[in-house]
């Protein structure tokens, strides 16, 4: 661009000089007006001018920030070793109960099962011992009853229903105990089967109907002698009571 400007400048100078020459010719022909001559040919172009001096360094340009580029593809690195397992976290709080869900669709009816075998009936094994008499003893056996027990794993149920009475006489209190025995021993599985009658009234001789019953376990199969007894109460071993069985 510097060379082009030099040419233009030089061409302007040539034109100026030519104009001056033509003007001088016009001045010398004030009185003789002639016809204009043919324009001369253009002169040869002038030589290139010298390079201009180097300009000062311009300021550093700072363009606007470009748009973010597209996301690059997934790299193909080698998988690292498995990390150490973390510590177990604490249990969270129990959340509130959710709403009841809708009723489900009724399922398909199942197949009918096979007919089972007919069950066998268990024959009853029981015995009743009855007596009609009064017994005024204060200690001892009132009545015994023989019973054949068929199964060693079963429990034996015994029951007494009848009249019992205890009289204190001149004493301030009195107590009698009625109990069952099995082959001469009281029940220990789970505990004794007994009934207690206590009174703290002098001269009280009221006869009342009472019932004593219970189950005894751990009795082997076979012939069992069941006894019904009367005796002292465990808390009072004195024989100051007047027991009476039956009426």
């Amino acid at each position: 661009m510097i060379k082009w400007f030099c040419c233009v400048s030089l061409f302007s100078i040539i034109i100026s000089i030519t104009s001056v020459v033509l003007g001088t010719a016009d001045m010398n022909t004030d009185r003789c007006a002639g016809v204009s001559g043919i324009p001369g040919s253009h002169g040869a172009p002038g030589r290139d001018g010298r390079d201009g001096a180097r300009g000062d360094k311009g300021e550093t340009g700072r363009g606007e920030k470009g748009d973010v580029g597209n996301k690059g593809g997934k790299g193909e690195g080698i998988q690292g070793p498995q990390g150490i397992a973390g510590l177990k976290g604490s249990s969270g709080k129990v959340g509130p109960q959710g709403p009841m869900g809708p009723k489900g669709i009724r399922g398909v009816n199942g197949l009918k099962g096979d007919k089972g075998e007919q069950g066998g009936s268990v024959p009853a094994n029981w015995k009743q011992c009855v007596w009609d008499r009064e017994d005024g003893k204060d200690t001892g056996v009132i009545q015994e009853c023989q019973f054949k027990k068929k199964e060693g794993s079963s429990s034996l149920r015994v029951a007494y229903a009848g009249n019992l009475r205890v009289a204190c006489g001149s004493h301030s209190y009195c107590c009698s105990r009625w109990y069952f025995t099995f082959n001469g021993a009281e029940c220990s599985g789970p505990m004794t089967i007994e009934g207690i009658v206590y009174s703290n009234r002098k001269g009280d001789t009221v006869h009342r109907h009472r019932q004593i019953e219970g189950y005894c376990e751990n009795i082997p199969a076979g012939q069992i002698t069941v006894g019904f007894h009367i005796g002292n109460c465990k808390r009072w071993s004195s024989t100051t009571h007047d027991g009476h069985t039956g009426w």
Side-chain angles (χ1 to χ4, degrees):
M1 292 178 71
I2 294 174
K3 289 182 178 181
W4 173 251
F5 282 132
C6 289
C7 278
V8 172
S9 300
L10 181 61
F11 183 70
S12 299
I13 293 172
I14 293 173
I15 293 175
S16 299
I17 294 174
T18 304
S19 299
V20 172
V21 173
L22 291 177
T24 304
D26 291 337
M27 291 178 64
N28 292 330
T29 57
D30 292 335
R31 297 176 184 181
C32 294
V35 179
S36 298
I38 299 171
S41 301
H42 295 289
R47 297 182 61 186
D48 296 340
R50 296 180 180 180
D51 294 341
R54 186 174 182 178
D56 297 333
K57 184 177 180 180
E59 296 180 358
T60 302
R62 181 177 294 178
E64 296 179 357
K65 184 176 180 180
D67 298 333
V68 178
N70 297 329
K71 184 177 181 180
K74 185 178 181 181
E76 297 181 356
I78 301 174
Q79 184 176 359
Q82 185 176 358
I84 301 173
L87 299 176
K88 184 178 180 181
S90 57
S91 301
K93 297 181 179 179
V94 178
Q97 184 176 359
M100 181 180 293
K103 185 177 181 180
I105 302 174
R106 183 176 181 178
V108 181
N109 294 332
L111 300 177
K112 186 177 181 180
D114 299 333
K115 185 176 181 180
E117 298 179 359
Q118 183 176 358
S121 60
V122 179
N125 184 23
W126 69 283
K127 186 176 181 179
Q128 179 176 245
C129 297
V130 180
W131 66 95
D132 183 12
R133 72 176 189 274
E134 295 183 42
D135 196 323
K137 68 171 63 76
D138 298 328
T139 59
V141 179
I142 302 298
Q143 183 70 34
E144 288 185 342
C145 183
Q146 299 298 319
F147 182 80
K148 188 174 182 179
K149 192 170 183 289
K150 295 182 179 181
E151 300 290 339
S153 60
S154 62
S155 299
L156 185 59
R157 178 179 180 267
V158 291
Y160 168 82
N163 187 277
L164 300 176
R165 185 219 71 178
V166 61
C168 298
S170 61
H171 301 283
S172 58
Y173 65 89
C174 54
C175 181
S176 290
R177 173 177 176 260
W178 284 265
Y179 57 93
F180 286 95
T181 61
F182 304 89
N183 291 335
E186 290 195 63
C187 180
S188 59
M191 60 185 304
T192 59
I193 302 174
E194 62 181 26
I196 304 296
V197 179
Y198 171 83
S199 177
N200 59 359
R201 296 180 181 181
K202 294 181 181 181
D204 188 6
T205 59
V206 179
H207 294 260
R208 292 184 175 88
H209 180 86
R210 305 179 189 275
Q211 182 166 330
I212 304 171
E213 63 177 302
Y215 289 85
C216 189
E217 302 173 355
N218 303 327
I219 299 177
Q223 196 68 27
I224 307 297
T225 300
V226 180
F228 187 63
H229 300 251
I230 184 175
N232 298 326
C233 295
K234 295 181 179 180
R235 291 185 59 184
W236 297 282
S237 60
S238 174
T239 58
T240 57
H241 58 86
D242 180 12
H244 200 93
T245 306
W247 180 249

